[in-house]
Amino acid sequence: SQKIEQNSEALNIQEGKTATLTCNYTNYSPAYLQWYRQDPGRGPVFLLLIRENEKEKRKERLKVTFDTTLKQSLFHITASQPADSATYLCALDDQAGTALIFGKGTTLSVSS
Amino acid sequence: DGGITQSPKYLFRKEGQNVTLSCEQNLNHDAMYWYRQDPGQGLRLIYYSQIVNDFQKGDIAEGYSVSREKKESFPLTVTSAQKNPTAFYLCASSRATELYEQFFGPGTRLTVL
């Protein structure tokens, strides 16, 4: 069955630095991958979607890459701010294209 | 204001009771989903619906039931058969199941006493 792993449960960085979060997957080839942000006690909020034929996608300070050879996506937040502190979830389409499979998330803490 | 709402925000129930969680969306989305989230865990899919009057089991459907009689509504019933129902429940919707982002509600935290 499909398996998705986010590299670490927690990441602590200083304000102004670039945060890099990793999402690895095994056992299949997703057609697309999505990243969400979740604040404590709230529902996730969609950030970016990248398709399998796209290498990179950008939105303001966010950048996502998708390497189908390595079976990995990297999520970057440049010039990080304390307001970026949250849990970030990676999600892939299932093989049937009917639902998303979510990783456990990486909790990012940005200190000033 | 378009969005997706869940009620109640907090719910307490006694062991052995069924309870229904509400989910409503006014985004005109065809697809709706129910997820369960436990501390330190990712979202696990309970049920999803691609269209009115149709729904499919997700990875952890046992002990849960749903209905989709209206496009905008997708209630989830947690039955007494669910062995460990205490969790954070999230409802989501999307234009379709494939290739579209999901919009999430604020969640319902269910505690079984």
Side-chain angles (χ1 to χ4, degrees):
Chain A
S1 62
Q2 309 97 315
K3 189 174 179 183
I4 178 170
E5 287 185 356
Q6 296 192 240
N7 64 324
S8 60
E9 290 188 0
L11 180 64
N12 301 303
I13 64 168
Q14 284 208 312
E15 184 175 9
K17 302 291 187 183
T18 296
T20 299
L21 286 64
T22 305
C23 176
N24 295 298
Y25 59 92
T26 57
N27 296 337
Y28 82 123
S29 298
Y32 59 92
L33 186 148
Q34 301 185 21
W35 284 89
Y36 289 78
R37 168 183 173 141
Q38 186 176 24
D39 290 289
R42 307 188 75 151
V45 175
F46 170 78
L47 297 174
L48 284 166
L49 180 152
I50 186 166
R51 293 172 173 78
E52 61 178 337
N53 61 349
E54 297 174 317
K55 296 294 183 186
E56 181 180 298
K57 206 92 174 264
R58 290 176 185 261
K59 179 182 175 182
E60 298 172 351
R61 295 185 295 111
L62 308 180
K63 184 179 84 170
V64 174
T65 62
F66 194 3
D67 189 327
T68 55
T69 301
L70 292 178
K71 292 187 181 294
Q72 179 181 82
S73 173
L74 298 179
F75 177 80
H76 306 273
I77 305 174
T78 58
S80 59
Q81 305 165 1
D84 295 326
S85 298
T87 296
Y88 292 86
L89 303 170
C90 169
L92 282 68
D93 68 293
D94 67 2
Q95 288 182 307
T98 54
L100 291 177
I101 302 170
F102 283 84
K104 293 183 180 181
T106 296
T107 299
L108 173 67
S109 296
V110 181
S111 54
S112 56
Chain B
D1 230 3
I4 181 165
T5 58
Q6 292 184 241
S7 61
K9 188 167 179 63
Y10 299 96
L11 188 57
F12 298 88
R13 79 150 213 226
K14 292 182 179 178
E15 206 168 328
Q17 289 180 336
N18 292 358
V19 63
T20 297
L21 282 59
S22 168
C23 178
E24 304 277 333
Q25 55 98 358
N26 61 3
L27 299 166
N28 200 33
H29 285 169
D30 284 318
M32 296 188 75
Y33 314 81
W34 273 105
Y35 295 92
R36 169 183 173 138
Q37 188 174 35
D38 294 284
Q41 300 294 315
L43 279 64
R44 291 186 291 167
L45 183 66
I46 305 173
Y47 269 97
Y48 67 96
S49 169
Q50 295 175 283
I51 200 166
V52 175
N53 292 322
D54 183 64
F55 49 83
Q56 306 295 329
K57 292 181 179 180
D59 299 322
I60 56 165
E62 185 175 350
Y64 300 97
S65 66
V66 293
S67 63
R68 186 86 187 275
E69 297 175 1
K70 298 186 296 182
K71 187 174 185 177
E72 57 271 20
S73 179
F74 192 41
L76 173 75
T77 297
V78 184
T79 75
S80 56
Q82 168 49 233
K83 295 178 182 177
N84 186 19
T86 294
F88 188 47
Y89 290 88
L90 287 159
C91 180
S93 71
S94 64
R95 286 179 62 184
T97 54
E98 195 166 359
L99 211 63
Y100 289 98
E101 68 266 31
Q102 295 186 9
F103 293 79
F104 285 82
T108 291
R109 190 167 298 279
L110 172 65
T111 302
V112 174
L113 305 171

